[in-house]
Amino acid sequence: MKISYNWLQQFLPNAIAPETLGEILTDTGLEVEGLETLEAVKGGLEGVIVAEVVTCEKHPNADKLKVTTVNTGTEVVQVVCGAPNVAAGQKVILATVGSTLYPTPDQPLKIKVSKIRDVESFGMLCAEDELGLGESHAGIMVLPANAVVGTPAAVFLELENDVQIEIGLTPNRSDAMGHIGVARDILAHAAVHKGASDRLVLPQVKTITKTADLSIDVTVEDTERCPRYMAVTLKGVAVKPSPAWLQKRLRAVGLSPINNVVDVTNFVMRELGTPLHAFDAAKVGSKLVVRTASEGEKMITLDGIERTLNAEDLLITNGTTPLCIAGVFGGLDSGIQDQTTDVLLEAAYFQPVSVRKTAKRHTLSTDASFRFERGVDVDLVPYALARAVELIQEVAGGEVGMEVVDVYSTPIQPRKVSLRFARCKQVLGHEIPFATIKTILTTLDFTIDSETSETLELTVPNYRTDVDREIDVIEELLRIYGFNQVPFPEKLNTSLVLTQKPDLERLTTNLAEVLTGLGFSEMMNNSLTTPVYTEKFGKEQLAPTHNVTMLNPLSQDLAVMRQSLVFQALETVAHNQNRQQADVRLFEFGKVYQQKEGEYFENKRLVMVISGRKSYESWALGNDKVSLFTLKGAVNALLNRLGLDSLANEEGQTDHDLFTDGLTLRILKNSIGSIGWVNANIRKHFGVKQEVFVADLDWDAILNSLKLTKVQYKELPKTFEVRRDYSLLLDQAVNFAAIEQLARKADKKLLQQINLFDVYEGKNLPEGKKSYAVSFTFQDQEQTLKDEQVDHIMETIRVSLETELGAELRK
């Protein structure tokens, strides 16, 4: 939010340097993000002074030029001038040699000694446009006779530079959405740290009194969404450009002047933080109705867009036609035009949640909605209206045409809070003096209803929408008292915290390091996503009816909680591939969310994604693509690190909604997720052209499985391994998992490892057959194995393979 330094000074008793002001505001919780000097005229008219024309003679070599001598206050110089109105005895503006003018901001004009038709000229007598003060070039500026020669032009013309203060306003500080709120904090800081007694004083305004006849009936049908609505009419206003002072104030806070009536409403909003709206009374007619929209009702807003309204949108209407979306955006035809002569002025308090939902629903963000949705000061609405009426009459004329309407059926009551001094000391670790506490609270407009030696009973001003509890009051005390005033303790206290075993945070970090070592990069995606994914691709597991929908979404792209990590993983793959990063290995730990029959479920998962080549491009490494088995190897490495590899098994199919085919992984009989390749239609939706392999793992289930295993340490075996191989002819439908399962049944003590080291499919094999080469590794931890022991197990395995899988041993 932008604040004008000069504007702010109007509410402060003493001038404070901008840099010092920035430090004070940051200390009090209004973090200053930048200070920018705004020059009234670019260059500040440095080197430009008030001078007097001593003599004025015709140029000897030019009919339209004159040669003048000019008194600068320190010397008399010769200046050639082409202005028709120059004459001896005039007080003028002289740009001396060496100065720089900016007739336009991007075209500097450097003043040098020059010869004009063989006559030397030592400066330039200036017109308005040459100084950048206006557009007139009819002649030089002629000043009053009492102008003091030698006075800097910027001083004489009262050109005032300004400093624009950029504040990073947090959502809870609705009280600081205008200059008076910022000034209040500065005054409170001065009261505590400088002993000042000044309080915030608002400009005096006159009571609004009817002097003409322009009555409009006002009805508020929805007092819940519009607790307070005020209106008054002004008859006979003259819409025209605003005076210079008003335009200057608006430009200082980044607003462009529009016309005098609209500019006043913007001025009051930036001064007080209370938005106003001005209607052309002729477009309103004889009555004004505040109501909610009919479902599907249409209106065209100021930006020329026809909007379809929701039944929860609050409207300002003329009884039939919508004039404005309340607190958000005006209508196209109801605003102030150049030909407007009668004005209806609105000041209101709209329910913040209602305004926020409407603004988000229509993807609108305006200065008014920014303030209304955070909560404006309901008690300041009458003053804001009176201030605006007085300023409009000052800059546009007009008479008040009706008595002020104030619909406020259920006044908002201030909140009551108790403050315990002992609690304040406990939270801050430091005791703030009792007198200082009272000073801070009173300068921030808190009312002390009663006090004891232990507590204060307080009434919170209505504009402090963020102060509801005792801890909020303590925060107010600390930010004004100053974090830097709290001394560092002489000793450090700490507490021992019991952590669960295993330490899940540490375990997750360790496994992330394992995956990084395997060439994966961690990605982090938003928990909010679009409902389009489940609507288009969800089936039983990821049905659209299971979406957890946001009540107040930031946009339709962030309207639901994600049901799966896979969709956003594919977004990341597409993002990388569109930037010439086709070879990706990515993983993410994250939560997914579902609701079923009114119950909500939250599940932590791990997604791993690979696509592209196995390794970076090199003559020595080949150009092989990743496959399902590349990903399976990474998953096995992960399970091995957890000590779960011996308990893991797989099924030769998956029912995952997003996979064309793949495997289901289990720990004993419990499913821990699926590995597969992404359906081609889904890849096409995301714009991914090459195959993508995904492991979608249930991280919670994996962690629960850790209870089934223990890490045991044992010495290295003193015996040797024995390896035997089988070359098997199998049906195409048989997979390696079936072979491994049968082999494990044959022996559970000596058989240590089973490995598929070669696969052949092609000619010289019967139709529908394939060849597997499988190795079996045996080892006895206690004694050397004998051939008879190994042969017996191998024979058992052979018989099982032949009888149950129809396998044949190849010679």
Side-chain angles (χ1 to χ4, degrees):
M1 190 184 74
K2 295 178 174 63
I3 293 293
S4 161
Y5 172 77
N6 291 338
W7 196 345
L8 193 61
Q9 289 296 328
Q10 291 185 349
F11 301 102
L12 304 178
N14 302 304
I16 304 174
E19 293 76 15
T20 304
L21 203 59
E23 293 174 2
I24 293 172
L25 290 175
T26 299
D27 286 346
T28 57
L30 298 175
E31 183 177 0
V32 173
E33 296 177 343
L35 299 172
E36 180 183 354
T37 300
L38 303 178
E39 295 178 320
V41 175
K42 189 169 182 180
L45 297 185
E46 189 172 349
V48 182
I49 61 172
V50 175
E52 182 178 11
V53 180
V54 178
T55 63
C56 179
E57 304 291 341
K58 185 177 179 301
H59 194 291
N61 301 323
D63 293 337
K64 294 185 178 181
L65 297 179
K66 295 179 181 179
V67 180
T68 67
T69 55
V70 179
N71 177 18
T72 68
T74 56
E75 60 179 334
V76 176
V77 297
Q78 179 174 279
V79 178
V80 177
C81 179
N85 64 330
V86 64
Q90 291 175 334
K91 299 290 180 66
V92 295
I93 299 293
L94 172 68
T96 60
V97 174
S99 62
T100 301
L101 303 179
Y102 291 86
T104 58
D106 56 347
Q107 293 182 341
L109 174 62
K110 181 81 172 178
I111 306 300
K112 303 176 182 177
V113 177
S114 59
K115 273 192 175 184
I116 303 175
R117 295 289 183 91
D118 297 329
V119 175
E120 283 192 315
S121 180
F122 297 87
M124 184 174 80
L125 303 184
C126 301
E128 275 187 11
D129 64 333
E130 292 164 334
L131 293 170
L133 297 175
E135 299 180 358
S136 174
H137 195 69
I140 61 172
M141 290 182 65
V142 179
L143 307 180
N146 61 355
V148 178
V149 173
T151 303
V155 174
F156 178 81
L157 297 172
E158 298 181 348
L159 298 181
E160 185 182 51
N161 291 343
D162 203 349
V163 176
Q164 188 181 86
I165 305 171
E166 183 77 32
I167 293 176
L169 192 66
T170 53
N172 64 307
R173 291 300 308 277
S174 59
D175 63 296
M177 293 187 297
H179 282 72
I180 64 166
V182 177
R184 185 186 292 112
D185 275 9
I186 296 169
L187 292 171
H189 184 275
V192 173
H193 299 279
K194 302 292 184 182
S197 58
D198 302 285
R199 298 293 182 266
L200 180 67
V201 179
L202 299 180
Q204 288 188 348
V205 294
K206 299 175 183 177
T207 302
I208 301 175
T209 304
K210 177 182 175 182
T211 57
D213 187 17
L214 181 60
S215 295
I216 295 176
D217 292 330
V218 176
T219 303
V220 179
E221 294 182 356
D222 192 333
T223 55
E224 181 181 350
R225 290 183 173 86
C226 180
R228 187 170 199 174
Y229 192 88
M230 298 187 69
V232 71
T233 58
L234 290 165
K235 187 174 183 179
V237 301
V239 178
K240 56 187 177 181
S242 296
W245 70 266
L246 182 52
Q247 294 193 35
K248 186 188 300 183
R249 284 287 182 255
L250 295 180
R251 288 195 177 100
V253 292
L255 296 180
S256 298
I258 298 173
N259 59 56
N260 49 1
V261 175
V262 175
D263 289 351
V264 165
T265 63
N266 286 331
F267 174 88
V268 173
M269 176 177 66
R270 291 305 183 107
E271 180 180 63
L272 306 178
T274 305
L276 305 171
H277 193 76
F279 297 93
D280 187 330
K283 301 293 177 64
V284 177
S286 60
K287 65 178 179 179
L288 182 143
V289 179
V290 183
R291 62 169 174 85
T292 50
S294 302
E295 187 66 39
E297 189 173 357
K298 310 279 188 181
M299 79 167 288
I300 300 175
T301 47
L302 271 173
D303 53 5
I305 296 175
E306 184 180 63
R307 300 185 185 274
T308 301
L309 303 173
N310 184 279
E312 294 186 356
D313 294 336
L314 189 67
L315 300 179
I316 312 299
T317 73
N318 61 7
T320 55
T321 306
L323 304 174
C324 173
I325 302 177
V328 180
F329 211 25
L332 182 63
D333 298 323
S334 62
I336 304 300
Q337 310 292 332
D338 290 344
Q339 62 272 22
T340 298
T341 57
D342 299 331
V343 173
L344 183 141
L345 193 61
E346 163 198 284
Y349 174 85
F350 298 115
Q351 209 271 339
V353 174
S354 172
V355 174
R356 182 163 57 249
K357 287 183 176 180
T358 296
K360 298 302 180 186
R361 191 179 297 121
H362 296 287
T363 61
L364 289 169
S365 179
T366 62
D367 277 346
S369 67
F370 175 83
R371 287 162 174 79
F372 277 126
E373 65 189 29
R374 284 161 173 78
V376 300
D377 184 0
V378 66
D379 297 328
L380 196 62
V381 171
Y383 177 85
L385 187 66
R387 176 80 164 140
V389 167
E390 189 169 296
L391 288 173
I392 289 175
Q393 289 183 312
E394 177 184 329
V395 301
E399 295 182 88
V400 177
M402 60 186 270
E403 298 294 341
V404 175
V405 174
D406 186 2
V407 181
Y408 193 25
S409 57
T410 308
I412 296 174
Q413 299 301 320
R415 297 171 304 285
K416 304 287 186 178
V417 177
S418 296
L419 173 67
R420 295 167 294 170
F421 301 129
R423 177 60 177 162
C424 181
K425 180 180 179 181
Q426 180 186 29
V427 171
L428 302 183
H430 175 69
E431 186 172 6
I432 300 177
F434 175 68
T436 303
I437 289 177
K438 292 180 65 176
T439 297
I440 293 173
L441 293 174
T442 53
T443 53
L444 292 178
D445 293 344
F446 286 76
T447 301
I448 300 175
D449 299 324
S450 64
E451 61 182 83
T452 68
S453 59
E454 297 179 350
T455 63
L456 292 178
E457 298 298 328
L458 306 171
T459 298
V460 182
N462 273 331
Y463 64 80
R464 287 313 303 266
T465 57
D466 59 322
V467 179
D468 293 305
R469 304 163 299 164
E470 181 182 47
I471 193 66
D472 300 326
V473 177
I474 294 173
E475 181 183 346
E476 290 299 293
L477 294 173
L478 179 58
R479 70 181 186 83
I480 300 299
Y481 182 71
F483 288 85
N484 295 331
Q485 301 299 313
V486 178
F488 284 103
E490 296 180 356
K491 63 178 181 177
L492 179 64
N493 297 323
T494 186
S495 300
L496 295 177
V497 180
L498 294 175
T499 58
Q500 57 182 337
K501 299 293 183 180
D503 186 337
L504 301 184
E505 186 76 25
R506 185 175 179 183
L507 181 62
T508 302
T509 301
N510 289 342
L511 293 182
E513 291 174 355
V514 169
L515 290 171
T516 302
L518 294 172
F520 285 78
S521 297
E522 186 170 9
M523 57 182 168
M524 290 178 147
N525 288 300
N526 199 331
S527 295
L528 300 176
T529 186
T530 173
V532 172
Y533 296 151
T534 51
E535 290 169 359
K536 194 167 185 178
F537 304 114
K539 297 176 185 176
E540 294 181 6
Q541 299 167 343
L542 305 176
T545 54
H546 297 162
N547 281 334
V548 178
T549 305
M550 303 301 294
L551 294 176
N552 186 26
L554 295 173
S555 71
Q556 286 306 304
D557 290 335
L558 301 171
V560 298
M561 304 289 281
R562 61 186 176 190
Q563 285 197 56
S564 172
L565 301 181
V566 177
F567 292 123
Q568 290 165 308
L570 291 172
E571 287 180 356
T572 308
V573 171
H575 181 86
N576 280 270
Q577 292 185 357
N578 291 339
R579 287 157 181 78
Q580 300 181 342
Q581 299 295 322
D583 306 326
V584 294
R585 294 189 179 210
L586 304 167
F587 74 94
E588 179 181 11
F589 290 96
K591 291 183 178 180
V592 298
Y593 310 86
Q594 288 187 318
Q595 66 89 16
K596 297 177 183 178
E597 299 179 355
E599 289 190 62
Y600 292 88
F601 301 91
E602 184 178 305
N603 175 218
K604 190 166 186 179
R605 301 188 74 85
L606 165 63
V607 68
M608 299 164 60
V609 181
I610 62 172
S611 184
R613 292 174 301 207
K614 281 187 178 180
S615 58
Y616 61 87
E617 190 174 16
S618 169
W619 65 271
L621 299 175
N623 201 32
D624 293 340
K625 300 289 186 181
V626 296
S627 68
L628 184 67
F629 297 101
T630 310
L631 183 58
K632 182 185 173 187
V635 173
N636 286 338
L638 204 65
L639 296 176
N640 180 270
R641 177 64 180 81
L642 291 169
L644 295 173
D645 52 321
S646 62
L647 303 177
N649 58 81
E650 62 192 49
E651 294 178 1
Q653 59 183 5
T654 178
D655 59 354
H656 198 291
D657 283 2
L658 310 181
F659 294 169
T660 297
D661 199 0
L663 304 170
T664 297
L665 299 179
R666 297 185 182 278
I667 300 293
L668 298 180
K669 294 182 180 181
N670 301 319
S671 173
I672 61 167
S674 301
I675 304 178
W677 50 93
V678 177
N679 184 290
N681 290 332
I682 298 176
R683 285 195 288 110
K684 183 178 180 181
H685 176 84
F686 287 93
V688 178
K689 298 178 181 179
Q690 60 191 25
E691 289 283 4
V692 178
F693 301 94
V694 176
D696 187 7
L697 306 178
D698 186 337
W699 185 240
D700 286 335
I702 292 173
L703 293 177
N704 287 334
S705 299
L706 293 176
K707 301 172 184 176
L708 304 175
T709 183
K710 291 183 178 181
V711 177
Q712 293 183 334
Y713 297 90
K714 55 186 178 182
E715 61 180 333
L716 291 172
K718 299 175 181 178
T719 59
F720 295 102
E721 295 178 344
V722 176
R723 169 174 164 163
R724 299 288 172 86
D725 298 343
Y726 273 158
S727 179
L728 302 170
L729 186 66
L730 302 159
D731 292 336
Q732 287 280 3
V734 177
N735 57 33
F736 174 69
I739 297 172
E740 185 176 26
Q741 189 174 11
L742 287 175
R744 293 290 183 193
K745 287 182 179 179
D747 182 81
K748 296 181 180 179
K749 179 181 179 183
L750 302 181
L751 182 57
Q752 303 296 325
Q753 188 175 356
I754 307 163
N755 183 46
L756 176 65
F757 64 89
D758 188 45
V759 178
Y760 176 73
E761 298 176 273
K763 58 184 180 179
N764 300 328
L765 290 180
E767 187 176 352
K769 297 289 186 178
K770 61 182 176 183
S771 175
Y772 274 6
V774 183
S775 67
F776 303 87
T777 303
F778 300 89
Q779 189 175 38
D780 190 326
Q781 304 290 332
E782 304 297 333
Q783 57 187 355
T784 303
L785 286 173
K786 297 179 180 179
D787 287 340
E788 292 82 5
Q789 292 174 282
V790 177
D791 290 343
H792 175 73
I793 299 172
M794 290 297 292
E795 180 63 18
T796 304
I797 292 173
R798 182 190 66 79
V799 171
S800 296
L801 294 175
E802 288 179 351
T803 56
E804 297 192 34
L805 301 180
E808 299 178 30
L809 286 182
R810 298 187 68 197
K811 304 297 184 184

